[in-house]
Amino acid sequence: PRASRDNFGADFGLLEYDFRWYIGDRLSLVSDGFMDFFSQGMRTASIGAHASRPGVGNVFVGFRTIEGPISSNVLNASLTYRMSDKWIVRGGSSIDFGSTGNIGQSLSFVRIGESFLIRLGVNADASRGNIGFVFGFEPRFLPQGRLGLVGGRRIPPASTDYLE
């Protein structure tokens, strides 16, 4: 690339990284970011921790900073927990330490049925003054579904471990 023609006059374009440190079987530290080299370019970086207990649940806490056309410092947290053989709870929250403040929260419950996973929940987006409702319906025999993933382990199809 030529700086006068490409990259808004900068000699280099986008620099990006993605870092994951698996401290153990259940704890990971993660970080990612990217940076444009021209003066108005976007720069962002994040750091977080992800802990999981296979088949029971997982928790994530992370911080992201963004500088450029918009500036923001956001704390994100999420939790998935299998309360019983039939119920999973999921929740999340995002808070901006700048002028935006509370960005939003979500809370949903997943019912584990014999053949299907059914999700009911609510999202509150305080930054836009918006409330939404969530409905999810997923067959248990589909291996790619996201509803059936708890603590990094998939909820098996009915009757694989025992008679339900």
Side-chain angles (χ1 to χ4, degrees):
R2 289 191 317 225
S4 61
R5 181 190 71 193
D6 305 318
N7 300 328
F8 300 98
D11 291 327
F12 297 99
L14 182 68
L15 174 69
E16 183 176 8
Y17 78 93
D18 188 8
F19 174 79
R20 299 184 190 283
W21 181 21
Y22 298 101
I23 295 173
D25 292 339
R26 296 182 181 181
L27 180 63
S28 302
L29 295 180
V30 296
S31 179
D32 66 13
F34 65 88
M35 175 180 159
D36 273 323
F37 288 95
F38 60 94
S39 63
Q40 301 293 323
M42 180 76 84
R43 291 170 296 282
T44 179
S46 73
I47 188 166
H50 182 265
S52 68
R53 187 165 174 209
V56 176
N58 56 3
V59 64
F60 172 79
V61 177
F63 179 77
R64 177 171 297 278
T65 181
I66 302 170
E67 292 296 328
I70 60 170
S71 294
S72 183
N73 293 308
V74 179
L75 178 68
N76 294 304
S78 66
L79 169 75
T80 300
Y81 181 70
R82 187 167 182 175
M83 299 184 298
S84 69
D85 287 341
K86 296 294 178 187
W87 291 98
I88 300 169
V89 64
R90 293 181 175 210
S93 182
S94 295
I95 298 169
D96 185 353
F97 291 110
S99 61
T100 303
N102 182 13
I103 296 174
Q105 287 75 36
S106 66
L107 179 67
S108 63
F109 294 91
V110 178
R111 169 76 162 107
I112 304 169
E114 182 180 356
S115 301
F116 298 98
L117 302 172
I118 300 169
R119 179 180 180 187
L120 296 171
V122 62
N123 295 327
D125 187 345
S127 66
R128 294 186 181 113
N130 190 4
I131 294 178
F133 297 94
V134 177
F135 176 74
F137 184 78
E138 179 182 301
R140 284 182 69 178
F141 55 83
L142 289 178
Q144 289 85 7
R146 296 192 69 210
L147 287 181
L149 193 62
V150 178
R153 183 182 293 166
R154 187 151 311 283
I155 296 171
S159 303
T160 55
D161 293 332
Y162 54 87
L163 185 61
E164 291 184 5

